[in-house]
Amino acid sequence: GKRIGFLLMINSWKNDEKATTTSTLLGAYIDPSRRKGGLAKVLLGIWMSICMDAGDIHLRTVVMRKPLLCLVLQHTFGFQPEANGGVEVEISRRGGRKDTDHGHDEILLYAPNSKTLQGGLFSARDLSRQGITLIDRPTNPRGKLVKVHCKFSPPPSEHLSETISNKVLKGGFKHRLRNETLRAMLLGQTENR
């Protein structure tokens, strides 16, 4: 079958006093014909669910540059931008555009500081691939404020688990994998380590 999407991540395990284990999101790819259908939410929900089921795995991200991925992390899952860095932008939709790829809504991006956008914050290639149009004034009604070009930290696990079960995966991600199997998948750890 055709690959419709995937997440890029680095999973690491430190054998120190705390036995720190992390899964760091690097980015996501969704096939253009499948975009704007909620697939990124599902993939992110499965990733988070597996990490939580595998035990004490700390979720984190690298600097996220894709506005729509930042939107999902912040507004769906409650991830918070780290204190330093990042730029606030406003994301809106304009529906019914036939001249956009696959006839989907057009995504509009506005930054209160126009120098932010003029300074090459987003490459033309990335904007085109994500179907984003830069605009020079806010829309009416206003869009959602999103931090981009920063790292994100997840909310408390109770909140995240509830969000995944009730809003994204509708009842959870069902699997029959044991904790040890999940850790081996994510970290390459065996029971002998």
Side-chain angles (χ1 to χ4, degrees):
K2 182 180 174 185
R3 184 181 302 176
I4 60 172
F6 56 87
L7 298 179
L8 301 170
M9 66 196 80
I10 294 174
N11 300 307
S12 61
W13 177 69
K14 288 184 185 174
N15 193 6
D16 57 11
E17 292 175 11
K18 298 177 187 175
T20 307
T21 307
T22 60
S23 186
T24 305
L25 179 67
L26 303 175
Y29 172 80
I30 306 296
D31 182 271
S33 67
R34 301 289 186 132
R35 290 183 182 160
K36 301 176 186 153
L39 187 56
K41 289 179 190 177
V42 172
L43 291 176
L44 288 167
I46 291 170
W47 167 61
M48 293 173 206
S49 181
I50 287 173
C51 288
M52 290 187 305
D53 288 351
D56 193 21
I57 295 181
H58 301 279
L59 301 171
R60 48 183 277 197
T61 75
V62 295
V63 172
M64 294 280 110
R65 291 175 170 80
K66 293 183 175 179
L68 298 178
L69 186 54
C70 293
L71 175 74
V72 172
L73 286 169
Q74 291 171 76
H75 287 271
T76 300
F77 293 104
F79 275 60
Q80 295 298 309
E82 291 189 356
N84 55 352
V87 176
E88 190 168 75
V89 297
E90 188 173 312
I91 298 177
S92 306
R93 284 186 175 209
R94 180 168 41 206
R97 292 283 306 265
K98 299 297 181 201
D99 57 340
T100 59
D101 288 345
H102 314 292
H104 289 294
D105 293 348
E106 181 181 24
I107 305 298
L108 306 173
L109 188 97
Y110 166 73
N113 180 351
S114 63
K115 290 180 183 177
T116 298
L117 297 179
Q118 294 169 355
L121 186 63
F122 305 105
S123 73
R125 179 178 178 252
D126 284 344
L127 293 172
S128 173
R129 288 180 78 184
Q130 294 184 58
I132 296 174
T133 301
L134 300 179
I135 57 175
D136 59 0
R137 65 180 71 92
T139 60
N140 187 13
R142 300 294 297 259
K144 291 185 178 181
L145 293 176
V146 177
K147 264 294 192 93
V148 296
H149 279 253
C150 58
K151 295 179 180 181
F152 293 94
S153 301
S157 59
E158 311 81 50
H159 169 77
L160 191 56
S161 180
E162 182 179 315
T163 299
I164 292 168
S165 293
N166 297 334
K167 295 181 183 175
V168 179
L169 299 179
K170 309 288 191 234
F173 175 61
K174 308 286 191 248
H175 62 80
R176 296 182 182 158
L177 302 173
R178 296 183 338 207
N179 179 291
E180 296 80 19
T181 305
L182 293 171
R183 292 183 77 79
M185 284 174 29
L186 290 169
L187 307 166
Q189 292 179 338
T190 63
E191 293 177 23
N192 298 331
R193 269 194 174 171

